[in-house]
Amino acid sequence: MNIKFNDVLELFELVNFGSPFDHEGYICKESGRTYFYSEFGDNEEELPDDINDEKYLTIPHKNELNLGNNLAFDFTLEYLPTEY
């Protein structure tokens, strides 16, 4: 199954709208279908009962990716050492 980049990007943006753990996003590896859940309600559909199964990809919150200052400093040190 092909998973579209736009689907991943859209879910990533939805998951990251707010604080960590406020929203959840999943993509089924078999069908490519996306699922979104928000702690604040207005969920159009329920998550599947097997959402924690390995056939789903969980979309992480940006804080879980560890893309903070250290990443920027490491990049600067490696590629722009005179600017460090």
Side-chain angles (χ1 to χ4, degrees), residues 1-83:
M1 167 51 46
N2 290 330
I3 297 173
K4 297 178 184 173
F5 176 76
N6 286 338
D7 292 342
V8 175
L9 180 60
E10 181 180 330
L11 265 182
F12 184 76
E13 290 173 346
L14 288 170
V15 167
N16 286 285
F17 185 76
S19 300
F21 310 112
D22 284 348
H23 311 293
E24 300 172 30
Y26 304 92
I27 298 178
C28 179
K29 294 184 217 177
E30 295 173 359
S31 68
R33 185 169 178 194
T34 61
Y35 298 91
F36 177 73
Y37 176 80
S38 175
E39 287 291 322
F40 301 106
D42 292 337
N43 296 304
E44 294 179 14
E45 60 183 299
E46 294 290 322
L47 294 176
D49 291 334
D50 63 346
I51 199 70
N52 293 319
D53 192 13
E54 289 185 17
K55 73 178 188 178
Y56 295 96
L57 296 172
T58 302
I59 302 299
H61 189 274
K62 62 185 174 187
N63 292 356
E64 296 176 67
L65 299 176
N66 294 322
L67 300 177
N69 290 339
N70 289 338
L71 179 65
F73 289 133
D74 290 345
F75 177 87
T76 304
L77 187 60
E78 185 172 342
Y79 296 102
L80 305 166
T82 60
E83 302 298 320

